[in-house]
């Protein structure tokens, strides 16, 4: 089977098969590890299924979705840059997609497309698994206010976390996000004199001062995606009491710095796993075999 299909190769290169069809749409999508761990899940649950990577430029998304419907795909994931555009192409949106205003999982129910978002809940499960704590009990700092930062900050607000601090290089984006989330933070949960929802500029001294009042720092910027990227924050800003989570799914320089500072650390592999496991459950109605999926994902990631 080819590593990646395109809109023009999909219908004549994908083997004709009675198996259920699933896939991941993205641009680029070649790096996606979803096929390896979703197929391990299907195998364990004895579901005969295909799961393929489909490379679709954003301007072809609507045509690609029509083709997937024609070809009876039962569902698909979408990754960058399709998560927002897919909102419009779904007939119905689950509450998760409505709240995060992005779709990463589509269920095709006899031609009716239902959009879900498992990124936020997958992250919550990942934090619980990695650190044995719930996001709602934490004071959270999110670095980044792009697509990933918006999703995680929104989920943290929905969880009614103790405190949320948003930090972004372009301050206006963090301010706009805080404005959108403000209503979640007017409640009985008071936090002494510290604002429950705060925006900080990208200033290491300001961040270092605020870290005293934070339990969990999450890197949701794109810094660390490339292997030679520097640490998004240096060791001197970090402290031993912190939990540090990087959405990038390998050991980054940021995680190394956090480890050197004595913090507990985890990378984004667990988030990738749990968002995929939740998608698996939406599609199949069966419990995802987490351990088999994790093993396959680690193998695919070379860990
Ligand atoms: P994604 O959807 O993965 O979040 P994105 O929407 O392009 O991708 O957002 C990238 C995020 O990484 C943004 O928060 C960006 O900050 P800006 O909003 O200021 O662009 C952040 N980012 C990228 N490079 C960065 C850098 N060198 N230092 C700090 N933040 C950076």
């Amino acid at each position: 089977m080819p590593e990646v299909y395109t809109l023009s190769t999909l219908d004549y290169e994908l083997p004709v098969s009675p198996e259920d069809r699933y896939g991941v749409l993205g641009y680029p999508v070649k790096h996606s590890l979803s096929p390896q761990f979703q197929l391990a899940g299907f195998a364990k649950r004895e579901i005969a299924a295909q799961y393929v990577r489909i490379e679709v430029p954003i301007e072809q998304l609507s045509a690609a979705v029509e083709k997937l419907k024609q070809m009876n795909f039962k569902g698909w994931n979408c990754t960058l840059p399709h998560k927002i555009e897919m909102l419009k192409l779904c007939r119905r949106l689950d509450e998760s997609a409505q709240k995060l205003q992005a779709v990463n999982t589509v269920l095709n129910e006899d031609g009716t497309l239902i959009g879900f978002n498992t990124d936020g809940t997958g992250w919550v499960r990942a934090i619980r698994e990695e650190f044995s704590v719930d996001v709602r009990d934490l004071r959270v700092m999110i670095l980044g206010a792009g697509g990933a930062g918006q999703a995680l900050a929104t989920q943290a607000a929905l969880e009614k976390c103790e405190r949320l601090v948003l930090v972004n290089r372009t301050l206006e984006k963090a301010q706009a996000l805080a404005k959108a989330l403000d209503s979640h933070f007017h409640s009985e949960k008071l936090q002494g004199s510290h604002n429950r929802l705060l925006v900080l500029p990208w200033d290491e001294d300001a961040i270092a001062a605020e870290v005293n009042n934070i339990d969990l720092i999450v890197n949701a910027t794109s810094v660390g995606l490339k292997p030679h990227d520097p640490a998004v924050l240096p060791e001197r800003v970090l402290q031993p009491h912190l939990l540090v989570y990087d959405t990038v799914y390998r050991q980054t320089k940021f995680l190394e710095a956090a480890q050197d500072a004595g913090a507990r650390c985890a990378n984004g592999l667990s988030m990738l796993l749990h968002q995929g496991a939740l998608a698996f459950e939406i599609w199949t109605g069966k419990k995802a075999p987490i351990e088999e999926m994790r093993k396959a994902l680690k193998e695919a990631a070379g860990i």
Side-chain angles (χ1 to χ4, degrees):
M1 253 197 245
E3 268 195 9
V4 178
Y5 293 87
T6 64
L7 186 51
S8 51
T9 63
L10 190 60
D11 49 358
Y12 68 91
E13 282 190 5
L14 186 66
V16 177
S17 152
E19 295 175 329
D20 295 342
R21 285 176 163 165
Y22 298 95
V24 53
L25 304 185
Y27 194 85
V29 76
K30 197 165 165 229
H31 61 275
S32 171
L33 304 178
S34 293
Q36 289 97 319
F37 79 93
Q38 292 291 357
L39 288 170
F42 291 128
K44 175 67 182 173
R45 291 286 175 253
E46 299 182 346
I47 298 167
Q50 301 172 323
Y51 186 108
V52 292
R53 299 182 189 89
I54 309 165
E55 188 172 77
V56 182
I58 189 84
E59 62 278 8
Q60 288 181 9
L61 184 64
S62 165
V65 163
E66 276 315 303
K67 181 160 278 186
L68 296 183
K69 280 166 78 173
Q70 276 164 24
M71 293 177 71
N72 283 324
F73 272 68
K74 288 198 152 186
W76 53 90
N77 289 123
C78 37
T79 182
L80 296 180
H82 299 315
K83 292 184 185 189
I84 293 174
E85 198 64 23
M86 192 62 81
L87 282 167
K88 292 186 233 153
L89 301 174
C90 293
R91 173 85 61 87
R92 290 206 327 257
L93 294 175
D94 175 70
E95 206 186 353
S96 57
Q98 276 175 34
K99 295 226 158 110
L100 271 62
Q101 277 302 298
V103 168
N104 80 327
T105 301
V106 177
L107 173 68
N108 179 9
E109 225 173 43
D110 302 320
T112 300
L113 301 187
I114 309 168
F116 296 78
N117 194 311
T118 66
D119 285 332
T121 39
W123 170 66
V124 169
R125 284 194 185 192
I127 295 297
R128 189 179 304 140
E129 178 186 284
E130 300 280 9
F131 302 126
S132 310
V133 284
D134 285 319
V135 168
R136 73 181 147 85
D137 295 325
L138 298 175
R139 299 167 298 172
V140 182
M141 177 184 281
I142 308 268
L143 309 174
Q150 284 177 31
L152 300 191
T154 305
Q155 189 68 37
L158 291 171
E159 300 289 319
K160 303 197 187 310
C161 67
E162 289 288 334
R163 194 159 180 256
L164 184 60
V165 176
L166 304 177
V167 189
N168 197 50
R169 185 179 57 179
T170 309
L171 186 63
E172 296 73 30
K173 270 160 77 177
Q175 285 169 331
L177 180 56
K179 202 168 166 205
L181 300 178
D182 188 56
S183 63
H184 295 276
F185 290 89
H186 296 294
S187 79
E188 66 293 345
K189 273 191 178 180
L190 291 174
Q191 263 288 310
S193 58
H194 296 291
N195 293 336
R196 282 195 61 214
L197 177 61
L198 186 70
V199 173
L200 280 188
W202 196 279
D203 175 285
E204 286 178 10
D205 291 334
I207 296 170
E210 203 53 46
V211 157
N212 294 316
N213 302 310
I214 290 296
D215 307 302
L216 171 68
I217 300 192
V218 182
N219 176 31
T221 73
S222 48
V223 182
L225 281 175
K226 296 193 212 92
H228 297 296
D229 280 351
V232 70
L233 289 180
E235 182 190 338
R236 69 169 188 88
V237 173
L238 304 168
Q239 293 185 20
H241 74 274
L242 288 171
L243 309 173
V244 176
Y245 193 83
D246 201 325
T247 59
V248 175
Y249 48 82
R250 56 179 169 68
Q251 179 74 348
T252 57
K253 300 230 170 52
F254 177 48
L255 292 180
E256 279 167 18
Q259 243 159 21
D260 291 345
R264 287 170 66 196
C265 301
N267 75 47
L269 208 75
S270 45
M271 187 177 151
L272 178 63
L273 172 69
H274 285 289
Q275 65 75 33
L278 289 162
F280 180 98
E281 291 174 356
I282 288 165
W283 295 325
T284 65
K286 293 189 160 70
K287 195 163 162 32
I290 289 284
E291 291 318 317
E292 283 76 9
M293 293 171 86
R294 188 197 315 276
K295 185 165 171 279
L297 178 55
K298 283 187 160 178
E299 263 172 39
I303 297 171

